């Protein structure tokens, strides 16, 4: 017959069990076991910045009621955005050089380089559909994070041609050419061949947004501004090409490419139509609340405007956005909210008919089902 434990022995057993349990509990930080004495929320910087967003000045957020007021608002905010991204330098000679020309079944692909500012060159692929006659509209195509421009022009990880459209970007520069438009696909600074040697040694898929974007901040500038300037100089290059119609220039990109499409179209009136994939959102719900690359940030912008205000600077030019229902870094509800507020600007200008937003079942991937025909329609006129 088992001996009955004394009250003292039971107490010691309970203490031992509690000690074992405490030892098995992982250490999470200096506030462990003090939760009842502090408010954990006050130690969460994301929650703190989200609360700060509620009081963000947004001094130039859209409030206009008439078309005249809207045009004046755009002029003022556009100048402020240019200032916030760091401004733009004087134009210098492009010094374009063609490196290669190749024929494919449906298009001709030219590889070129040109200098957007002294000491900084851009690599671009020009894809012109073979059935095109006369001057063709050109769509500046900007890739998102990945290997760079190769991801959208049909070049695989070994530098070989691929016939299947793969990855989250699905070679959308090739798709543009298949739609009968010319694609001018540019390598963003920090990707592909536009990286420092230390980053290049880490492999093709490693981006060099940092240290470059960090360096931009040290100069009082931004990577957004640097990349937007590349887009503006790409239009200068398009104007030099007799087979391209510089009066019908579009711009498109996904993710980080969508960032630059949005900002470029906001400040560069020569862009006649814009297609933003996997980016339109609120700063509040995306880059303020979730981990993003440093190249997304424009210091001080929340003192003046939200993302939908920047998008409103594109009006009344055609604007299309697409968003995946399960995009983990640009949440769908905020995407819908941002598009609705962007449409307010178009509504006041009487231009609601030239906007569109496709919400598709999917994650952070290029879709293009309605967006590419939208570009073709508005650049064909």
């Amino acid at each position: 017959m088992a001996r009955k434990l004394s009250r003292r022995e039971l107490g010691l057993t309970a203490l031992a069990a509690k000690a074992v349990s405490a030892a098995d509990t992982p250490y999470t930080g200096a506030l462990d076991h003090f939760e009842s004495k502090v408010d954990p929320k006050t130690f969460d910087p994301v929650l703190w910045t989200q609360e700060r967003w509620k009081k963000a000045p947004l001094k130039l957020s859209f409030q206009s009621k008439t078309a005249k007021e809207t045009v004046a608002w755009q002029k003022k905010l556009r100048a402020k955005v240019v200032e916030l991204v760091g401004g733009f330098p004087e134009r210098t000679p492009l010094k374009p050089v063609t490196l290669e020309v190749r024929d494919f079944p449906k298009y001709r692909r030219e590889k070129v380089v040109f200098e957007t500012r002294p000491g900084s060159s851009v690599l671009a692929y020009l894809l012109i559909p073979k059935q095109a006659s006369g001057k063709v509209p050109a769509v500046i195509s900007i890739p998102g994070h990945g290997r760079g421009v190769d991801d959208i022009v049909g070049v695989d990880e070994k530098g070989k041609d691929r016939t299947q459209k793969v990855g989250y970007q699905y070679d959308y520069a090739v798709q543009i050419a298949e739609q009968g438009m010319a694609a001018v696909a540019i390598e963003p600074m920090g990707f592909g061949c536009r990286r420092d040697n230390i980053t290049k040694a880490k492999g093709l898929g490693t981006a060099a947004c940092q240290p470059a974007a960090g360096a931009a901040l040290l100069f009082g500038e931004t990577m957004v501004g640097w990349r937007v300037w590349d887009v503006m100089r790409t239009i200068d290059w398009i104007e030099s090409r007799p087979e391209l119609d510089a009066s019908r220039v579009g711009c498109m990109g996904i993710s980080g490419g969508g960032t630059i499409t949005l900002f470029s179209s906001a400040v560069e009136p020569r862009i006649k139509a814009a297609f933003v994939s996997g980016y339109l959102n609120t700063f509040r719900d995306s880059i303020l609340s979730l981990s993003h690359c440093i190249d997304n940030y424009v210091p001080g912008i929340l003192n003046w405007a939200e993302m939908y205000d920047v998008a409103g600077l594109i009006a009344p030019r055609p604007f299309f956005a697409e968003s995946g229902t399960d995009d983990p870094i640009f949440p769908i509800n905020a995407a819908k909210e941002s598009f609705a507020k962007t449409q307010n600007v178009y509504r006041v200008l009487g231009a609601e008919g030239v906007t569109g937003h496709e919400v598709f079942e999917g994650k952070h991937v290029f879709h293009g089902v309605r967006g590419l025909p939208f570009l073709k329609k508005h650049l064909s006129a």
Side-chain angles (χ1 to χ4, degrees):
M1 185 174 178
R3 183 176 68 86
K4 186 177 181 180
L5 294 176
S6 68
R7 216 179 309 178
R8 181 174 181 277
E9 289 172 323
L10 286 172
L12 290 173
T13 300
L15 286 173
K18 185 176 181 180
V20 170
S21 176
D24 290 342
T25 302
Y27 177 69
T28 65
L31 295 181
D32 285 1
H33 314 305
F34 296 99
E35 291 84 357
S36 62
K37 296 183 178 181
V38 298
D39 181 357
K41 292 181 180 179
T42 66
F43 294 88
D44 185 329
V46 171
L47 290 178
W48 179 66
T49 53
Q50 288 173 336
E51 285 300 311
R52 282 200 62 178
W53 181 92
K54 296 176 182 178
K55 298 178 182 179
L58 300 179
K59 298 174 187 175
L60 288 176
S61 195
F62 183 66
Q63 302 287 337
S64 304
K65 303 299 181 183
T66 68
K68 183 178 180 180
E69 290 175 354
T70 299
V71 172
W73 165 79
Q74 287 180 317
K75 183 177 180 180
K76 188 177 294 186
L77 179 57
R78 187 174 289 117
K80 177 56 67 174
V81 169
V82 171
E83 175 191 325
L84 292 172
V85 300
F88 302 123
E90 295 294 324
R91 280 175 164 78
T92 53
L94 290 167
K95 304 176 184 178
V97 177
T98 297
L99 303 179
E100 176 187 68
V101 179
R102 293 187 55 198
D103 276 328
F104 291 83
K106 295 182 179 179
Y107 58 90
R108 185 182 83 247
R109 191 180 77 194
E110 184 175 336
K111 184 188 294 187
V112 301
V113 295
F114 49 85
E115 198 174 83
T116 59
R117 63 178 83 201
S120 182
S121 295
V122 167
L123 167 74
Y125 287 96
L126 169 63
L127 283 64
I128 299 184
K130 285 189 171 180
Q131 75 272 23
S133 60
K135 287 180 174 287
V136 294
V139 179
I140 299 171
S141 309
I142 312 165
H145 281 66
R147 293 183 298 126
V149 74
D150 283 355
D151 276 336
I152 64 174
V153 297
V155 178
D156 69 14
E157 290 80 358
K158 296 182 179 180
K160 305 295 183 182
D161 302 326
R162 61 185 176 206
T163 56
Q164 290 187 322
K165 298 178 178 68
V166 297
Y168 83 99
Q169 306 189 73
Y170 295 104
D171 288 323
Y172 52 76
V174 175
Q175 294 190 54
I176 290 169
E178 291 172 346
Q179 289 276 341
M181 300 173 286
V184 184
I186 62 174
E187 185 91 278
M189 187 180 289
F191 297 99
C193 64
R194 302 187 72 191
R195 298 178 297 159
D196 61 277
N197 289 332
I198 293 175
T199 305
K200 285 181 180 178
K202 298 176 182 179
L204 287 171
T206 304
C209 300
Q210 174 70 298
L217 297 176
L218 294 176
F219 289 113
E221 300 170 20
T222 64
M223 180 60 81
V224 169
W226 288 1
R227 289 175 178 165
V228 167
W229 180 246
D230 285 345
V231 171
M232 296 168 73
R233 296 311 317 272
T234 300
I235 300 176
D236 294 342
W237 177 81
I238 289 171
E239 291 176 339
S240 75
R241 297 293 300 234
E243 68 270 64
L244 302 180
D245 188 345
S247 69
R248 293 185 291 160
V249 173
C251 191
M252 68 164 290
I254 186 173
S255 194
T259 307
I260 305 309
T261 296
L262 189 81
F263 277 89
S264 296
S265 303
V267 303
E268 174 52 87
R270 291 179 295 173
I271 294 173
K272 302 304 181 184
F275 172 19
V276 172
S277 174
Y279 176 70
L280 183 69
N281 214 260
T282 61
F283 295 132
R284 176 198 64 214
D285 291 278
S286 57
I287 67 171
L288 183 147
S289 297
L290 302 167
S291 180
H292 283 259
C293 180
I294 190 174
D295 63 353
N296 282 279
Y297 298 87
V298 176
I301 196 163
L302 286 178
N303 290 323
W304 303 96
E306 246 291 359
M307 192 187 298
Y308 42 75
D309 297 308
V310 179
L313 297 180
I314 303 172
R317 291 166 289 152
F319 172 67
F320 193 90
E322 66 175 18
S323 308
T325 54
D326 300 313
D327 191 326
I329 55 176
F330 294 100
I332 188 60
N333 288 336
K336 292 177 179 178
E337 174 191 348
S338 192
F339 180 73
K341 293 194 174 184
T342 301
Q343 267 204 314
N344 288 338
V345 182
Y346 279 83
R347 186 175 298 112
V348 173
L349 291 175
E352 287 180 270
V354 296
T355 63
H357 185 206
E358 181 173 11
V359 175
F360 63 92
E361 295 291 329
K363 296 186 178 181
H364 189 63
V365 296
F366 177 73
H367 190 57
V369 172
R370 289 174 51 199
L372 289 175
F374 178 94
L375 278 182
K376 183 175 181 178
K377 173 185 175 182
H378 290 287
L379 293 177
S380 295

